[in-house]
Amino acid sequence: MPDPRTDAITCGDTEDDAKVDPVTLSRRDFLTAVGMAAAGFLAGCSPEVREAYLQKHFLELSPPEVEARLGRLHADYAKRFGTQVQVSALPAQPGVVFGYALDLSRCIGCRRCVYACVKENNQSRNPQIQWIRVLEMEKKKGIDFEAANPYYNPEQVPDPEHFYLPVACQQCRTPQCTRVCPVGATWQEPDGIVVIDYDWCIGCRCCMSACPYGARHFNWGEPEVPAAELNPNMHVLGNRPRPRGVVEKCTFCIQRVRAGRYPACVEICPVGARKFGNLLDPESEIARILREKRVFVLKAELKTEPKFYYFYGI
Amino acid sequence: MGPLQFIATSARFVLRGGKAYWLWVGFLVALIVWGVLAYIDQFNSGLIVTNMRDQVSWAFYIGNFTFLVGVAAAAVVLVIPAYIYHWGPIKEVALLGEILAISAIVMCLLFVVVDMGRPDRFWHLIPVIGHMNFPSSVLAWDVVVLNIYLVLNLVIVTHILYRGMQGRSYNQRLVVPLVLFSIPAAVGIHTVTAFIYAGLPGRPYWNASILAPRFLCSAFCSGPAVMLVLFQILQRTTNIAIKDAAIWKVAELMAYAMFINLFLLGAEIFKEYYSATEHLIHFQYLFTGIHGHHALVPYAWAFVCCGISAFLLFLFPATRRNVVTLNLGCLLIYASVYIEKGMGLVMPAFTPDTLGEIYEYTPTLHELRIGAGIFSTGFLVFTVLCRIAIPILTGQFAAVHAHAGRDSLRGRLTTAPTPHQPSAAGGRHL
Ligand code: SF4
Ligand code: SF4
């Protein structure tokens, strides 16, 4: 049975081995080699690529580093789209928590909010990404997702047998999506908006599995936004053009609302079904609705505690 | 012997082989190249080359990942019966189980990587230099436990082989605690993986406390199925002494595991169909189809039928002792768990999606090619490691060593070969 070919193999400790510890030595060599290879690879890249690859988590950036990142984004978008853009990193204001309310008795299912949102938030036109899904529901079934139809014909609305339920990110107070993210790339800001760091997301799509409202969308292909339609007024955690392979979703138009404006969907709605404001301000419209109307949230049994309310105004 | 010599010796083992061996390796390499080409495509154009979309955002890759975590976990768990029933060649069982576990974990990690939208940011997952979302993200936990498990098995295997080549027995004080630790670790990786799914209230198909027990039961079928086939090959081609009784015992234990697996599935099916809440629809999609969408129905019944027949084959002593029915049973169990843990676990949870939309998913050729490439990589790792381990296990190596007259007594492996089969197949190569 002995295989003569194995004769050549030497076994047992050699004298060299006794003197230096070969394991540590080779391990150190190995690590050095790997480190040098990685460093060499990065050194070979252009400074932009290197910086983009090694950048930190957004919440760990110092103010000058935030400035540097914004500068890099400005340059990048100017080159890609051939226009000047304004990317802000305006933080949450103290004493503000945003809330949203939608009057189901008014909504006619025209989907103008969907298209306004696409434009405002620089969503990819191809492959198509839409943050708002308007569901057509049968009146006699009430809210029954199983019987919902997102592909109804918008030319024939409102249909007397149906009502319309627009759904986007519900800005949960206890979001399922942020809990599961393995790298902390998505979190809730102090003003209650759940945001994503597009430079940190690894595209694992755990958050998409976790979100009970289908609010998160993935960039399966290279997102395409025509330069002529680009909205140059951007927020770094919001509507700036996304890279491929990351997740995105509604941010209540963070670029607008932190600057004191209404979200685009609120402005566009032809029947005034959409209401928005600061939940902590008793004078705001949203606070008044919560006080005076009977509101409900979707899938309340899941305890996600949305800050997106539905109600019947009339 | 230094590490360099260890590598050189290992390489020599790996590079030595007959025509059949090289054909097999060539076949695997060809499939790997085919898969890598598909992956390059995916890397350049994005996951759009798959059929996953927002409605079904995890599919083939994650299904395979889940299945393979089970294989990795269960391979090592065989060590328990090996201890309890005094199989004798415990080291063989442990070593081969760990080699299988290493190959399976390699495949798991590859499936995770190919599923990532941004594989270039993989380092974000590494503690300290990245930013891990501890303790709330179960996936973060899973990445950690899988890597610990991989390192654990690598250490054990490398140590045993390294010592084996030196003609020395392994260090009991190192290996025994590590092997014992690898058993709860194996249960741990599969439980944590189940918790990734079970912890999502938005997906009622997964959000069941029975999910982790079901994972473990099905894993105890699929992992040993691979080992049983392997044991039989080794019995016939080498002089490793694996008793027939041991093989039959494993088959018997698998029958029980399969029974519990089917029972737990039945418990879930009863609950869903009898209470018939809005959650039922996912089971309906799997077993009967909904609104004219039937893609999974044949697979669902295939896994139930394969599972039941394998259970019966392994339950009766006559059929589990018969070579033909034994291996048929292994095949059926493997197929059953592969469908159940792959497509059957992931896709129904997304169909219909959280807002009721039905998107019927079938994998693209890109996904199948990448999957085939990853499986071939796993098989290659397994083949290569076995190639090094088997001469050491069979004592072939030690015999040569003793012949060379060095270190003679210490040189023999503790379990000297005692071929119980009179066939002279001992020296033949795999
Ligand atoms: S709706 Fe979904 S994406 Fe939005 S905060 Fe809630 S769980 Fe997260
Ligand atoms: S896809 Fe991105 S944001 Fe979502 S869980 Fe994964 S890393 Fe986090």
Side-chain angles (χ1 to χ4, degrees):
Chain A
M1 253 180 307
D3 188 332
R5 278 169 295 184
T6 49
D7 268 350
I9 302 163
T10 45
C11 305
D13 295 344
T14 62
E15 282 177 2
D16 282 10
D17 292 347
K19 278 183 223 137
V20 271
D21 181 354
V23 181
T24 23
L25 186 74
S26 61
R27 192 182 295 140
R28 200 186 307 132
D29 286 351
F30 176 72
L31 286 179
T32 318
V34 168
M36 275 165 59
F41 169 74
L42 285 169
C45 299
S46 68
E48 294 86 49
V49 173
R50 189 162 58 227
E51 202 181 306
Y53 186 72
L54 290 179
Q55 59 194 322
K56 291 199 260 176
H57 189 283
F58 186 78
L59 293 180
E60 288 168 3
L61 297 179
S62 64
E65 284 171 328
V66 171
E67 282 309 312
R69 177 175 296 191
L70 296 184
R72 191 170 58 72
L73 292 174
H74 283 139
D76 179 27
Y77 296 146
K79 202 160 93 203
R80 258 168 64 196
F81 297 98
T83 64
Q84 276 309 305
V85 301
Q86 189 52 48
V87 187
S88 118
L90 197 64
Q93 308 298 308
V96 177
V97 171
F98 291 116
Y100 207 115
L102 198 147
D103 187 348
L104 288 179
S105 53
R106 285 179 195 268
C107 176
I108 52 168
C110 66
R111 289 214 190 102
R112 287 204 181 88
C113 52
V114 177
Y115 309 127
C117 175
V118 167
K119 261 193 113 199
E120 168 69 30
N121 289 296
N122 295 320
Q123 280 148 37
S124 170
R125 313 301 204 266
N126 178 33
Q128 208 173 48
I129 291 182
Q130 297 176 347
W131 289 351
I132 307 177
R133 249 202 288 191
V134 184
L135 304 176
E136 188 183 62
M137 303 256 180
E138 287 176 42
K139 278 186 176 161
K140 62 175 189 296
K141 288 199 170 163
I143 293 181
D144 177 357
F145 291 109
E146 219 180 283
N149 175 17
Y151 299 114
Y152 65 90
N153 184 349
E155 305 293 314
Q156 289 157 11
V157 295
D159 180 271
E161 305 286 302
H162 291 93
F163 71 101
Y164 300 87
L165 180 87
V167 186
C169 174
Q170 307 285 299
Q171 309 292 355
C172 310
R173 285 185 176 84
T174 46
Q176 296 294 336
C177 56
T178 58
R179 177 194 301 178
V180 298
C181 177
V183 293
T186 178
W187 65 91
Q188 189 168 189
E189 289 273 285
D191 55 7
I193 301 178
V194 175
V195 295
I196 302 160
D197 180 356
Y198 309 123
D199 292 328
W200 195 259
C201 168
I202 58 171
C204 65
R205 309 189 298 292
C206 280
C207 54
M208 296 179 77
S209 297
C211 171
Y213 305 99
R216 290 185 164 246
H217 303 271
F218 185 71
N219 285 285
W220 299 99
E222 193 67 47
E224 240 178 70
V225 182
E229 294 175 32
L230 187 78
N231 174 8
N233 172 24
M234 304 172 182
H235 193 282
V236 62
L237 297 173
N239 62 338
R240 68 173 166 104
R242 273 73 66 186
R244 173 171 25 100
V246 304
V247 164
E248 61 179 72
K249 66 167 197 63
C250 161
T251 62
F252 276 169
C253 284
I254 193 169
Q255 68 282 0
R256 286 169 155 252
V257 298
R258 282 198 179 163
R261 297 171 66 197
Y262 277 119
C265 49
V266 172
E267 273 181 7
I268 198 84
C269 180
V271 292
R274 291 173 169 266
K275 315 288 182 194
F276 181 83
N278 178 5
L279 291 169
L280 301 183
D281 173 7
E283 302 304 313
S284 70
E285 190 179 17
I286 185 82
R288 189 178 55 75
I289 289 172
L290 292 190
R291 225 171 20 242
E292 293 172 6
K293 305 287 179 190
R294 299 293 172 266
V295 300
F296 69 93
V297 295
L298 293 182
K299 307 198 183 188
E301 71 277 11
L302 298 182
K303 277 299 221 177
T304 46
E305 302 179 41
K307 295 189 291 293
F308 196 112
Y309 302 91
Y310 295 88
F311 70 107
Y312 297 95
I314 39 177
Chain B
M1 165 181 285
L4 284 182
Q5 262 172 307
F6 173 61
I7 293 170
T9 313
S10 306
R12 212 165 309 165
F13 278 138
V14 172
L15 294 177
R16 204 181 51 183
K19 209 163 151 199
Y21 171 69
W22 283 111
L23 268 178
W24 169 241
V25 171
F27 170 71
L28 292 179
V29 170
L31 276 182
I32 293 172
V33 170
W34 201 47
V36 167
L37 290 178
Y39 184 68
I40 291 175
D41 237 18
Q42 178 184 304
F43 191 84
N44 289 330
S45 347
L47 284 162
I48 192 126
V49 302
T50 72
N51 260 346
M52 288 185 278
R53 290 297 177 265
D54 285 351
Q55 294 86 348
V56 179
S57 49
W58 279 343
F60 182 71
Y61 296 149
I62 292 296
N64 279 296
F65 158 76
T66 314
F67 170 76
L68 288 165
V69 173
V71 173
V76 166
V77 172
L78 267 192
V79 173
I80 307 175
Y83 267 119
I84 297 176
Y85 296 105
H86 302 295
W87 287 353
I90 177 75
K91 194 181 66 190
E92 279 82 345
V93 175
L95 191 61
L96 292 173
E98 261 136 21
I99 288 177
L100 179 62
I102 291 173
S103 323
I105 295 278
V106 166
M107 291 189 263
C108 286
L109 294 176
L110 286 175
F111 270 115
V112 172
V113 170
V114 299
D115 190 65
M116 282 169 69
R118 301 297 305 219
D120 54 319
R121 296 181 184 166
F122 195 79
W123 63 275
H124 294 184
L125 272 171
I126 302 170
V128 187
I129 64 165
H131 180 111
M132 275 211 139
N133 187 12
F134 265 132
S136 81
S137 166
V138 187
L139 189 75
W141 281 91
D142 208 33
V143 169
V144 170
V145 290
L146 282 175
N147 279 302
I148 290 180
Y149 190 68
L150 176 63
V151 170
L152 187 65
N153 285 306
L154 276 176
V155 168
I156 301 175
V157 169
T158 323
H159 175 80
I160 295 183
L161 295 185
Y162 187 58
R163 285 294 186 95
M165 270 187 205
Q166 291 179 329
R168 290 155 64 194
S169 170
Y170 56 84
N171 180 349
Q172 293 265 354
R173 286 216 308 269
L174 176 75
V175 169
V176 173
L178 285 186
V179 168
L180 290 180
F181 176 63
S182 71
I183 294 166
V187 175
I189 57 168
H190 215 24
T191 307
V192 173
T193 306
F195 284 175
I196 294 180
Y197 302 101
L200 304 179
R203 306 280 175 188
Y205 183 74
W206 291 334
N207 188 218
S209 36
I210 212 170
L211 200 72
R214 268 184 68 195
F215 266 51
L216 289 176
C217 292
S218 62
F220 292 161
C221 301
S222 56
V226 185
M227 294 295 287
L228 280 195
V229 174
L230 186 72
F231 285 168
Q232 293 175 64
I233 295 175
L234 294 182
Q235 258 189 347
R236 279 173 186 70
T237 54
T238 70
N239 56 358
I240 292 185
I242 295 169
K243 294 185 208 135
D244 277 342
I247 291 182
W248 300 333
K249 197 51 157 185
V250 180
E252 190 187 337
L253 297 175
M254 282 163 68
Y256 304 145
M258 200 51 176
F259 173 76
I260 301 175
N261 187 31
L262 290 169
F263 175 75
L264 294 180
L265 176 69
E268 269 212 89
I269 287 180
F270 165 78
K271 175 224 164 199
E272 294 299 353
Y273 275 86
Y274 194 81
S275 51
T277 64
E278 57 183 8
H279 301 168
L280 173 61
I281 191 152
H282 303 286
F283 277 88
Q284 282 174 328
Y285 175 64
L286 181 60
F287 284 111
T288 53
I290 40 172
H291 312 309
H293 299 277
H294 298 110
L296 282 188
V297 176
Y299 295 101
W301 291 104
F303 98 66
V304 173
C305 296
C306 291
I308 293 178
S309 6
F311 163 63
L312 293 175
L313 284 180
F314 282 179
L315 183 66
F316 297 111
T319 40
R320 74 168 171 258
R321 288 183 186 168
N322 176 308
V323 185
V324 177
T325 41
L326 174 72
N327 288 308
L328 180 67
C330 286
L331 202 70
L332 289 173
I333 270 201
Y334 200 78
S336 172
V337 176
Y338 183 70
I339 300 173
E340 186 202 338
K341 279 288 149 303
M343 302 310 223
L345 174 85
V346 178
M347 277 146 57
F350 291 106
T351 326
D353 77 354
T354 47
L355 296 186
E357 190 179 333
I358 296 174
Y359 167 80
E360 204 155 45
Y361 164 90
T362 41
T364 60
L365 185 61
H366 273 88
E367 291 175 86
L368 296 176
R369 280 172 59 185
I370 292 173
I374 293 179
F375 268 98
S376 307
T377 312
F379 278 122
L380 191 64
V381 170
F382 188 74
T383 310
V384 163
L385 288 178
C386 280
R387 201 77 202 160
I388 304 169
I390 287 169
I392 293 177
L393 282 180
T394 51
Q396 204 184 70
F397 193 91
V400 174
H401 179 69
H403 182 71
R406 286 200 222 153
D407 217 3
S408 57
L409 275 179
R410 212 154 52 103
R412 246 173 282 265
L413 289 167
T414 41
T415 49
T418 45
H420 69 294
Q421 287 194 331
S423 78
R428 241 194 287 147
H429 290 301
L430 236 187

